[in-house]
Amino acid sequence: MAAELLQATGAMMEHMEQQIGQTRQLSETQMSTSSSSSSSTSTTFSMTSTKLRKVSQGSCKTMDEHSVVQRKTSAVVESFSQVQKSLQIPEGQSVPDFEEKPRPITAQEGDKAVFKAKVTGKPEPSVTWERTSGQPLSEGTKTFHDNINKQHILKIKSLNLDDADVYKCIASNEHGEAIYSISLIVTENPAMDFKKMLKKRSLGKREEKRPPTEEEMLKILSGAEKKDYERICAEHGFTDFRGILRKLKEMRKKVEVEMVRVLKPLEDITAKPDTNVVFDTILELKDPNIKMHWFLGTELLRIQYFHGKYEVKQMGTKHMLCISSVSLSDMGTYSLQVGDKHLSARLTVIDEPLKFLSDFKPMRVTERQTAVFEVHLSKKSDAPLIWKVRDKEVKRDEKFEVSLSEDGLTYTLKIKDVKASDTGDYSISIGDLTATAPLFIERIPITFSSNLKNVHVKEKGTARLECEMSSKDAHVRWLKDGRDVTGSPRYVFVREGRRAELIVEDCDLADEGEYAVVCTQDNDAHEYVSSANLAVDERFATVMSGMSDTQCPTGSPAELCVVLNDEKVDGVWLKDGAEVSGLSGVQVVKQGAVHKLLFSGLTDAHQGKYTFRAKGAESDAVLTIADPPEIDPAVLEMLGYQPVTVKAGQTATVKIPFKGRPPPKVTWYRDGLEVVEDDRTKVERTADSTTLVLSRCAREDSGAIMLRLKSDCGSAVANLHLNVVDHPKPPQGRVEFPERSGKRIRMKWKAPRDNGGKQVTGFVIERRAAAKKSWTRVGEVDGGSTVFSDDKVEEGQAYQYRIRAVNSQGVSDPLETGEVYAGEPIEPPGVASQPQVSNITKDSVTVSWSPPAQDGGAPVLGYAIERRKKGSNMWVQVNKELLTDTKYVVDGLVEDVEYEFRVTSMNRAGAGSPSTVSNAVLAKDPIRAPGLVRDLSVSDSSNSSISLSWRPPEQGDDPSGYILEVRPEDAREWTKATKIPIAGTAYTVGGLQERMKYSFRIRAVNEGGMGEPIELEKGVLAMPPPVAPRFDLQGKLKSQMVVRAGTALCLYLSFTGSPPPVITWLRDGIPAKGREVITKGKYHSQFLIPSCQRSDSGVYRAHLKNDYGEAHYDVNVSVADFPRPPKNLGLVEEVPGTVTLQWDHTPDLADGEGAHYVILKRDASTASWFTAAERVFSSRYTVTGLLPGRKYYFRVVAQNSIGDSDPLDSKEPLIIAKETECVSSFMLKEYAPPPRQVKPSFLLPLKDHAVHRGHDCTMSCAYQGMPTPQACWYKGQVKISDTPRFWQSTANGVCTLVIPTCGAKDSGEYTLVLENPLGTAKCSCNLVIFDKDDKNLLENLTGRRNKEKLIL
């Protein structure tokens, strides 16, 4: 029977394994369902992960004729999802998460199930439990929080099949929620099934019940718990209780033997201290929930799942025990107990002796530098470490710095600012280990920060030769052409600190030569020399200011002057080529570099060409005599006393004599303007006179005439007056009429402005009647009177007058007047007033008006009335006879037609102008006044305005408008809100006092009159409706801002609210109190920091609050700046030809601004830096491609989106070690190749190169030849193989030439010659050096590279 049960159990397990494929598909479906259930909207984002640990599905049934045992299983599900609601989570707060997660449970019905979970999050999340199916938790389910263990617990006391489901533990707070889903699988209990069967059988025939057989009882008890065995046997009436227990135990042992299968046992391990050890075994387990126990010896290990000494891990069927940082105390036998299997293995820890891992080597350091001794230990030691110098223990101070690395294995001694006295043996001792190494100090060579410079001076000048050394303690000697002149009195020696100077005064040609300064220092056999050349030039003079031609009057003094550039040079004066010596009235004067020739009084004998000559200089000038122009005073007196008079149309001639040498320039002026010759004006000139001729003179030619004579010596002027006589001009101005009556017209005028050069003798007066063409002479007056009376006139008649002036030359042009009336004239009357229309009916109206203000000089006889339809241009007269009254009834109108009216006044002179057109009126019967306005109400309000609305009245005719009146609470009188009626049914009254109560009333109005008013029942306060505060952003302010350091941070916000809210600015949750400037308005505020710093980064919050609510807005501000430089640059040459750089990170690398490093290198022979690497993010980098035997400097620069940091440079150059031949320690049998001889030839020839100035150039080619040929390099025809500037190598059939730091002199042709006993082979190439500005060359080289084999 037991074998059959085992066979049935094995068949069930095989059937379960066959269902794994289907179960995996079910798992994927459940994973997608879990993920989709935790998805969020566009305003949230979620992170979901789902894990299925084990899946088993299916069912197995074992049936016999007496009982049926069923086992029900479902998928074991375990999934996790997390949803974040807030876009920005404040610092210190977090989304809920599970610190301890609940685990899936599989249990039989009737058992209890307990889920436990521990959650984290801030604010503290709330935890709820749900079923995925949506069914409520069963009655026996209890949820509570364990305050001691900080766990949330779901407990189900007595399970039944309906409790099987996927349960969700939901932890949520304001930032998000976390959901962990686990399955509860409830299997059927055969014992309980048997109870159900008993209940069913009890309903049947009791006489049919019989005890089960032994095989049936084993099946029943296989699914029950041990504590229920006795009760179940009693219920079934089975009496052999002990026998059935013994068989059940034997059956289970056989099953358990097959539950654990060892595929790989534990193995012994040997390890070193402080290392990690892993024991692993591969087990095949039938029951995945079987318990495992690890032991050290007989002691059970305490397993910690995170960061403990012991940690158990599982990867599939592989089970591991991880032991961290083993020590000697961890040695022993480790065993694993799983089921009835016992696996064991031994751990052995081997301790090594303490020793030095690196040699303690001698060190040579230049003075003033830092010497560093470093030693590496094989392991940590508690023994004290002692540094000694010359057998004296080193004490830590400003001179000596002792440090230990973080791993406790590296000890470092730094000797700062080393001097010669620091030389000696340095030793280190720790425990029984001791090491010693000497320190050698090298003197710093003397350098010239300022060398001697070549000096160029003239004779008698002073020369200065100076230099500046790096040391002020150096000894100085001076040499001239290799001869020591240190003590010579010819020179002046100056020494000030590091500066030395040699002064040579009054230099002559013998002082030329090479001068050198020789510097030495104590304990240094070297001599440091700087030299320069002194050149002395012969002195020559040049003219700084020469002479110019001079003119002077006879008898006046004169001076000729020459200025040279050198006051030590003399000269000689010459006149017309002969030396000035016996010439009277002449004096030669020398004042330094100024040379003068002085004349006391010029005569004709002094005129001539004068020359001044000196060594290397010459200047000349011409001296002449010049007299100013002069006019005879008698002629001037006559011209000023008597003017020149001529009649109009005749010719005027004016001649004036003069004298002067040279002849002066003649200029005539008329009324201040220069006279220009034309067909009327001529100017004649002779050596001693000039004549002005004016033809056909006119009155306008009268005026002042001036003659000006001018030369280089002076000028003369003659003035005269020209008078041209002619008939007078017309009388001037407007004629006045002091008297105009029916009997006489009296007139008055002004005399002419120009009398023609002669006195006016009288005036002639003429007149003509209006509308007449002929003039009649009515009288004349003498020249002294400008008044005339015309007595022969007719009253009311219009006349026109003209007046002429008379002198001895003739009569002037007339002065005409306008029309003048004799007495007052009669005119048509003025304009009547605008007609007013009243008493309007459908066929008649009453028109009234006022008389005109002016009657035109005669009484108004009557009026004429006209009408027209509105929009028409045709007027129709209403009355047939003149109206004497100012009111008239117009009838015969057409109903519903608009009419306009006008009135015209008349007197005996005729009709006047029509009046202004009346307002248009509609021929219609009168309109009724409107009724009461309906539904007056308040639609809106603010602090200064109230908006009202209403409906039109139902009674009366339609209103044309509304009159709204307002009255404050403290006033009695009503005031109109508008000057004109309101056209609509709504209006906003503005300009109100805040929080004042106002009353309103309104009435309708039309052409028929005003309706009765209606008033609001209650007064209205002038204040807005209550509104909670709200921000008015409109995209102007973003929630994320990046500001550059040093610039201004300005946060401007607009908001609304009623009453106006109070705004508070906070930074990272704390009210802002710092360098900021906060401006607050009623509905806006500004937060300003004029100059930002890194420390200003943070979350800035604007908080609004009033009586009806609160609101806030956050802005995350990040201040970006140039990165700070890295520190502590270290250089290590680990691999030949490479250097590894290591430094300390800049603090700004983790700011998220794209910060990285740029690595640069520089050959010690050049000042140019070249980029070795870009965008380096670690603090370690290896530079490759370095040339052996050369010195290099290195630089590290931090770089971000703002810019570069200050560079971190290596203090000393690193010398790349030259390649050395490696001697193999293996004794290999030498391979003897077959003898073969080949003539040298090139497999891959050299190629032309084009290199940027300052970069390295590498040429290489491949060859063959046996015996190995000798390689020799040439530049042009010069051999360069032995030149230390170039680096060459020949190995494995490849020849390489490296030219470091190429310059212009490196351009040219390079040739490689290979030679062996069988022959010679040559190969050449060209090297071109270019600058970045050589654009044409770069274009040519690029073109050649595309066509030919050129390396660019």
Side-chain angles (χ1 to χ4, degrees):
M1 186 65 191
E4 293 178 358
L5 183 61
L6 290 175
Q7 185 177 1
T9 305
M12 179 183 67
M13 296 301 294
E14 292 177 359
H15 181 71
M16 292 173 60
E17 291 175 357
Q18 292 174 0
Q19 300 297 324
I20 289 178
Q22 300 177 4
T23 307
R24 288 176 179 170
Q25 297 178 0
L26 175 62
S27 302
E28 295 173 357
T29 304
Q30 292 174 346
M31 290 173 65
S32 62
T33 304
S34 176
S35 299
S36 62
S37 65
S38 61
S39 61
S40 61
T41 64
S42 60
T43 59
T44 63
F45 56 96
S46 65
M47 298 170 289
T48 305
S49 63
T50 304
K51 178 178 66 176
L52 295 180
R53 297 192 303 164
K54 178 183 176 183
V55 179
S56 63
Q57 180 179 352
S59 64
C60 178
K61 297 182 179 180
T62 305
M63 304 178 59
D64 57 20
E65 58 183 1
H66 300 291
S67 64
V68 178
V69 180
Q70 296 183 348
R71 178 188 171 116
K72 180 180 178 182
T73 61
S74 61
V76 178
V77 179
E78 184 177 0
S79 65
F80 171 73
S81 65
Q82 190 177 50
V83 179
Q84 180 174 326
K85 301 177 182 177
S86 303
L87 293 178
Q88 296 293 333
I89 299 178
E91 185 177 357
Q93 300 189 8
S94 63
V95 177
D97 199 358
F98 286 89
E99 183 177 350
E100 293 184 8
K101 302 172 183 177
R103 293 288 179 250
I105 295 177
T106 301
Q108 288 183 337
E109 56 180 334
D111 293 345
K112 65 178 180 180
V114 179
F115 294 107
K116 297 181 181 180
K118 182 183 290 187
V119 298
T120 61
K122 192 171 184 183
E124 183 177 357
S126 60
V127 177
T128 58
W129 297 85
E130 295 179 0
R131 295 178 64 169
T132 304
S133 62
Q135 297 180 2
L137 300 177
S138 61
E139 295 181 358
T141 303
K142 183 179 181 182
T143 61
F144 59 93
H145 180 256
D146 185 355
N147 295 325
I148 298 176
N149 298 319
K150 306 297 182 182
Q151 292 177 333
H152 295 270
I153 299 175
L154 171 67
K155 187 174 182 180
I156 306 174
K157 290 186 177 179
S158 179
L159 294 174
N160 56 53
L161 295 178
D162 294 334
D163 291 327
D165 204 343
V166 176
Y167 287 78
K168 295 190 294 183
C169 180
I170 304 173
S172 62
N173 65 8
E174 62 184 28
H175 300 305
E177 65 180 13
I179 304 175
Y180 204 90
S181 302
I182 61 279
S183 61
L184 171 59
I185 301 174
V186 181
T187 61
E188 293 182 352
N189 192 337
M192 299 195 67
D193 289 343
F194 187 74
K195 290 180 181 179
K196 296 176 184 178
M197 293 171 61
L198 289 178
K199 291 181 180 179
K200 292 180 180 179
R201 288 183 179 182
S202 63
L203 299 176
K205 298 179 180 180
R206 297 184 179 271
E207 61 274 7
E208 296 179 359
K209 183 177 179 181
R210 64 176 181 81
T213 63
E214 186 177 287
E215 291 81 2
E216 293 175 347
M217 202 67 214
L218 286 175
K219 292 182 179 180
I220 294 173
L221 295 180
S222 63
E225 291 189 4
K226 189 174 183 180
K227 64 181 181 180
D228 297 326
Y229 287 169
E230 186 174 358
R231 177 177 56 81
I232 294 173
C233 289
E235 290 177 353
H236 286 73
F238 193 84
T239 57
D240 189 6
F241 180 66
R242 291 187 179 181
I244 198 67
L245 286 180
R246 184 171 59 255
K247 288 190 176 183
L248 184 63
K249 186 175 182 181
E250 293 175 356
M251 182 186 70
R252 286 191 173 180
K253 280 186 178 181
K254 294 180 180 179
V255 175
E256 288 179 357
V257 169
E258 297 178 0
M259 294 296 289
V260 180
R261 182 182 176 190
V262 180
L263 302 181
K264 177 182 179 297
L266 296 177
E267 298 178 354
D268 294 340
I269 297 177
T270 301
K272 295 181 180 181
D274 296 328
T275 60
N276 298 331
V277 171
V278 178
F279 285 102
D280 63 310
T281 179
I282 299 178
L283 304 176
E284 182 178 328
L285 304 177
K286 297 298 182 179
D287 183 6
N289 297 322
I290 192 169
K291 295 184 179 180
M292 298 184 180
H293 300 283
W294 289 88
F295 297 88
L296 173 56
T298 60
E299 182 181 358
L300 180 65
L301 296 180
R302 298 183 60 184
I303 305 299
Q304 297 180 356
Y305 290 93
F306 299 101
H307 310 295
K309 178 70 175 179
Y310 303 101
E311 183 179 357
V312 174
K313 296 182 180 180
Q314 179 181 354
M315 295 178 59
T317 60
K318 186 175 183 180
H319 300 265
M320 295 171 285
L321 172 65
C322 302
I323 309 173
S324 59
S325 300
V326 299
S327 61
L328 296 177
S329 61
D330 295 322
M331 293 179 59
T333 300
Y334 289 82
S335 59
L336 170 63
Q337 182 70 43
V338 50
D340 61 343
K341 300 294 183 180
H342 183 83
L343 309 177
S344 63
R346 181 165 184 78
L347 171 63
T348 304
V349 180
I350 301 175
D351 192 12
E352 296 182 352
L354 181 66
K355 63 179 179 180
F356 292 125
L357 297 181
S358 60
D359 296 336
F360 203 43
K361 299 179 181 179
M363 181 170 295
R364 186 178 300 274
V365 181
T366 305
E367 64 175 333
R368 313 299 296 181
Q369 301 297 320
T370 299
V372 180
F373 286 103
E374 190 175 75
V375 64
H376 301 277
L377 300 181
S378 60
K379 65 176 184 177
K380 293 183 181 179
S381 176
D382 297 332
L385 184 139
I386 300 175
W387 290 93
K388 292 184 179 181
V389 53
R390 294 188 293 274
D391 297 331
K392 293 183 179 180
E393 184 176 351
V394 173
K395 295 183 179 180
R396 183 178 300 178
D397 54 12
E398 295 181 355
K399 180 72 175 178
F400 298 98
E401 178 182 338
V402 180
S403 61
L404 176 63
S405 63
E406 294 181 358
D407 58 5
L409 299 177
T410 303
Y411 290 85
T412 305
L413 172 65
K414 293 184 179 180
I415 304 100
K416 303 178 182 177
D417 193 19
V418 298
K419 300 179 182 179
S421 59
D422 295 325
T423 304
D425 292 335
Y426 287 77
S427 62
I428 179 174
S429 60
I430 178 171
D432 297 333
L433 295 178
T434 302
T436 304
L439 174 63
F440 302 99
I441 308 300
E442 296 181 353
R443 294 299 303 269
I444 299 177
I446 297 176
T447 59
F448 290 93
S449 55
S450 176
N451 286 287
L452 294 179
K453 297 181 181 179
N454 295 334
V455 179
H456 200 96
V457 298
K458 293 184 178 181
E459 285 184 284
K460 305 301 180 181
T462 299
R464 296 178 179 270
L465 297 168
E466 61 179 345
C467 67
E468 186 173 353
M469 294 87 64
S470 59
S471 175
K472 64 181 179 180
D473 299 327
H475 306 293
V476 175
R477 291 186 298 113
W478 289 92
L479 304 178
K480 177 182 180 296
D481 296 331
R483 180 174 55 86
D484 194 341
V485 295
T486 304
S488 175
R490 176 73 181 88
Y491 308 99
V492 177
F493 302 95
V494 178
R495 179 69 185 277
E496 296 178 354
R498 294 183 298 175
R499 179 176 167 275
E501 183 178 9
L502 172 69
I503 302 175
V504 185
E505 298 178 346
D506 294 332
C507 293
D508 53 24
L509 299 178
D511 292 324
E512 285 189 334
E514 181 183 15
Y515 289 80
V517 59
V518 181
C519 300
T520 58
Q521 62 180 346
D522 297 335
N523 299 326
D524 190 355
H526 292 84
E527 290 186 349
Y528 305 92
V529 181
S530 179
S531 61
N533 293 319
L534 172 62
V536 181
D537 294 338
E538 188 176 357
R539 182 180 296 275
F540 290 95
T542 59
V543 177
M544 300 295 294
S545 177
M547 295 183 293
S548 60
D549 295 344
T550 305
Q551 292 181 347
C552 297
T554 303
S556 65
E559 176 183 298
L560 298 176
C561 179
V562 177
V563 180
L564 302 180
N565 66 334
D566 196 337
E567 63 181 9
K568 297 182 180 181
V569 177
D570 296 329
V572 61
W573 290 91
L574 304 175
K575 178 180 180 297
D576 298 330
E579 185 176 353
V580 177
S581 57
L583 190 62
S584 62
V586 179
Q587 181 183 1
V588 178
V589 178
K590 180 178 182 300
Q591 298 175 347
V594 180
H595 301 262
K596 295 182 180 180
L597 188 64
L598 304 178
F599 300 87
S600 57
L602 286 178
T603 62
D604 291 340
H606 293 148
Q607 294 187 108
K609 180 179 180 181
Y610 289 84
T611 303
F612 175 80
R613 291 179 181 172
K615 188 176 182 181
E618 182 175 334
S619 179
D620 53 25
V622 176
L623 178 63
T624 57
I625 295 177
D627 293 327
E630 184 179 358
I631 303 174
D632 189 355
V635 175
L636 295 175
E637 183 179 358
M638 181 186 65
L639 293 175
Y641 175 74
Q642 183 178 0
V644 178
T645 303
V646 63
K647 289 185 177 182
Q650 296 182 353
T651 300
T653 302
V654 180
K655 182 178 181 180
I656 300 176
F658 61 85
K659 60 181 179 179
R661 185 172 59 173
K665 178 182 179 182
V666 177
T667 307
W668 288 88
Y669 296 89
R670 184 174 68 187
D671 293 332
L673 300 177
E674 184 177 354
V675 174
V676 180
E677 293 190 61
D678 53 20
D679 57 346
R680 292 181 55 242
T681 307
K682 302 292 182 183
V683 177
E684 300 175 355
R685 301 176 181 85
T686 63
D688 56 356
S689 67
T690 179
T691 304
L692 174 64
V693 179
L694 296 176
S695 303
R696 301 186 302 279
C697 290
R699 177 63 181 162
E700 288 76 11
D701 294 330
S702 301
I705 305 295
M706 183 182 72
L707 169 66
R708 172 172 290 174
L709 304 174
K710 185 177 181 181
S711 68
D712 294 340
C713 302
S715 62
V717 176
N719 293 300
L720 58 100
H721 186 78
L722 175 63
N723 186 20
V724 179
V725 295
D726 197 359
H727 58 76
K729 297 294 182 182
Q732 61 177 329
R734 181 179 179 183
V735 178
E736 299 179 1
F737 296 92
E739 182 181 355
R740 292 183 296 174
S741 65
K743 297 180 180 180
R744 180 185 301 110
I745 296 178
R746 186 167 176 268
M747 62 194 73
K748 184 179 181 181
W749 64 89
K750 293 181 181 180
R753 187 182 303 276
D754 184 9
N755 59 9
K758 294 294 184 177
Q759 184 178 1
V760 176
T761 59
F763 296 93
V764 177
I765 296 91
E766 298 174 302
R767 84 175 184 192
R768 67 180 177 184
K772 297 294 182 68
K773 294 183 179 181
S774 61
W775 293 89
T776 304
R777 184 169 179 173
V778 294
E780 61 180 37
V781 296
D782 58 12
S785 176
T786 58
V787 178
F788 178 75
S789 295
D790 185 8
D791 299 334
K792 300 178 181 180
V793 296
E794 296 180 6
E795 184 178 3
Q797 180 64 43
Y799 298 95
Q800 187 178 5
Y801 293 88
R802 68 181 183 183
I803 306 169
R804 297 175 183 268
V806 180
N807 69 358
S808 59
Q809 300 298 319
V811 181
S812 71
D813 295 331
L815 171 64
E816 295 185 3
T817 69
E819 290 186 355
V820 181
Y821 286 90
E824 294 296 331
I826 299 174
E827 299 177 352
V831 179
S833 66
Q834 182 183 18
Q836 301 296 321
V837 183
S838 62
N839 300 329
I840 303 170
T841 65
K842 63 181 178 180
D843 58 358
S844 67
V845 296
T846 300
V847 181
S848 60
W849 64 91
S850 298
Q854 301 291 334
D855 59 3
V860 176
L861 300 178
Y863 303 94
I865 300 178
E866 297 175 293
R867 76 179 184 194
R868 70 175 179 184
K869 295 181 181 179
K870 185 178 180 181
S872 174
N873 293 325
M874 184 177 69
W875 290 94
V876 178
Q877 187 169 342
V878 174
N879 57 321
K880 296 180 180 179
E881 297 180 359
L882 292 178
L883 302 176
T884 57
D885 196 2
T886 58
K887 179 184 289 187
Y888 183 74
V889 177
V890 180
D891 53 7
L893 303 179
V894 180
E895 187 177 4
D896 291 332
V897 175
E898 286 189 282
Y899 292 93
E900 295 175 334
F901 301 90
R902 70 180 182 181
V903 178
T904 304
S905 304
M906 296 184 182
N907 65 2
R908 62 187 179 89
S913 299
S915 68
T916 304
V917 179
S918 70
N919 294 328
V921 294
L922 183 66
K924 190 176 181 181
D925 288 338
I927 301 174
R928 296 180 301 165
L932 290 175
V933 177
R934 297 179 297 158
D935 300 336
L936 177 63
S937 61
V938 177
S939 60
D940 195 7
S941 63
S942 67
N943 291 329
S944 60
S945 65
I946 297 176
S947 298
L948 302 171
S949 63
W950 57 89
R951 295 171 61 193
E954 293 181 345
Q955 300 177 355
D957 289 342
D958 293 337
S960 60
Y962 302 89
I963 297 176
L964 179 64
E965 295 176 299
V966 60
R967 179 173 61 84
E969 184 180 21
D970 56 354
R972 295 182 178 181
E973 300 296 332
W974 291 91
T975 305
K976 288 185 178 181
T978 59
K979 294 182 179 180
I980 60 175
I982 301 170
T985 58
Y987 185 75
T988 299
V989 181
L992 304 181
Q993 183 177 352
E994 185 176 358
R995 294 184 177 273
M996 172 69 76
K997 181 178 289 187
Y998 291 89
S999 299
F1000 296 92
R1001 71 180 185 183
I1002 191 170
R1003 65 181 72 190
V1005 64
N1006 61 11
E1007 295 179 2
M1010 292 188 297
E1012 293 298 324
I1014 182 174
E1015 185 177 350
L1016 279 176
E1017 295 180 359
K1018 297 181 180 179
V1020 183
L1021 289 175
M1023 61 175 290
V1027 179
R1030 181 172 58 87
F1031 287 96
D1032 184 13
L1033 297 176
Q1034 299 180 354
K1036 296 181 180 179
L1037 186 63
K1038 298 181 179 179
S1039 59
Q1040 296 282 344
M1041 293 183 65
V1042 178
V1043 183
R1044 185 167 180 171
T1047 60
L1049 169 63
C1050 182
L1051 306 178
Y1052 181 84
L1053 286 172
S1054 301
F1055 47 85
T1056 59
S1058 177
V1062 177
I1063 186 169
T1064 304
W1065 288 92
L1066 302 96
R1067 176 189 168 192
D1068 296 332
I1070 302 174
K1073 293 181 180 179
R1075 301 178 295 105
E1076 64 276 353
V1077 178
I1078 300 177
T1079 304
K1080 296 181 180 179
K1082 194 172 183 180
Y1083 294 108
H1084 66 86
S1085 181
Q1086 176 177 285
F1087 184 93
L1088 174 66
I1089 299 178
S1091 180
C1092 288
Q1093 302 174 359
R1094 283 183 184 271
S1095 59
D1096 293 325
S1097 298
V1099 178
Y1100 291 80
R1101 168 172 289 187
H1103 183 268
L1104 299 178
K1105 183 177 182 181
N1106 67 1
D1107 297 338
Y1108 300 97
E1110 299 182 10
H1112 68 268
Y1113 186 77
D1114 294 341
V1115 180
N1116 194 342
V1117 177
S1118 176
V1119 180
D1121 198 356
F1122 291 98
R1124 285 166 283 185
K1127 298 180 179 179
N1128 303 328
L1129 177 61
L1131 309 177
V1132 178
E1133 184 181 9
E1134 297 177 341
V1135 179
T1138 66
V1139 172
T1140 298
L1141 282 66
Q1142 190 168 2
W1143 60 90
D1144 293 342
H1145 273 305
T1146 173
D1148 306 320
L1149 187 63
D1151 287 348
E1153 303 171 2
H1156 57 273
Y1157 298 103
V1158 177
I1159 314 300
L1160 301 98
K1161 66 177 181 179
R1162 177 174 69 85
D1163 194 300
S1165 61
T1166 180
S1168 300
W1169 289 91
F1170 299 98
T1171 302
E1174 295 180 327
R1175 301 194 64 79
V1176 176
F1177 293 91
S1178 65
S1179 61
R1180 182 182 178 92
Y1181 186 78
T1182 300
V1183 181
T1184 61
L1186 304 178
L1187 301 180
R1190 303 196 65 84
K1191 296 181 180 180
Y1192 287 93
Y1193 288 91
F1194 296 92
R1195 170 177 290 179
V1196 181
V1197 178
Q1199 188 179 81
N1200 64 5
S1201 58
I1202 302 300
D1204 298 345
S1205 70
D1206 295 334
L1208 173 63
D1209 294 346
S1210 58
K1211 297 181 180 179
E1212 299 178 357
L1214 183 68
I1215 302 176
I1216 305 303
K1218 294 185 177 180
E1219 296 180 355
T1220 58
E1221 296 183 357
C1222 297
V1223 180
S1224 176
S1225 61
F1226 297 98
M1227 300 300 295
L1228 300 177
K1229 183 179 180 180
E1230 183 177 358
Y1231 170 71
R1236 186 168 63 96
Q1237 292 186 347
V1238 179
K1239 182 180 178 180
S1241 63
F1242 289 95
L1243 301 177
L1244 184 64
L1246 295 173
K1247 295 182 180 180
D1248 293 341
H1249 288 68
V1251 181
H1252 193 290
R1253 184 190 301 271
H1255 286 230
D1256 297 344
C1257 176
T1258 302
M1259 303 177 182
S1260 61
C1261 66
Y1263 69 91
Q1264 66 177 355
M1266 186 62 66
T1268 302
Q1270 182 72 26
C1272 188
W1273 288 89
Y1274 295 86
K1275 182 179 183 296
Q1277 301 298 325
V1278 180
K1279 184 178 180 181
I1280 61 174
S1281 296
D1282 300 330
T1283 304
R1285 168 167 167 68
F1286 303 94
W1287 180 82
Q1288 64 171 345
S1289 67
T1290 302
N1292 300 324
V1294 178
C1295 284
T1296 303
L1297 176 67
V1298 178
I1299 308 172
T1301 317
C1302 293
K1305 61 182 180 180
D1306 294 320
S1307 298
E1309 182 182 30
Y1310 288 80
T1311 303
L1312 172 62
V1313 179
L1314 299 176
E1315 183 177 3
N1316 71 0
L1318 300 180
T1320 303
K1322 292 184 180 181
C1323 185
S1324 300
C1325 68
N1326 291 316
L1327 173 61
V1328 178
I1329 307 300
F1330 63 90
D1331 288 328
K1332 62 179 180 180
D1333 298 330
D1334 296 340
K1335 295 183 179 179
N1336 294 332
L1337 179 58
L1338 282 174
E1339 293 176 358
N1340 295 334
L1341 293 175
T1342 304
R1344 287 182 56 195
R1345 181 182 63 179
N1346 296 333
K1347 297 179 181 180
E1348 306 174 6
K1349 296 180 179 179
L1350 173 66
I1351 297 178
L1352 181 58

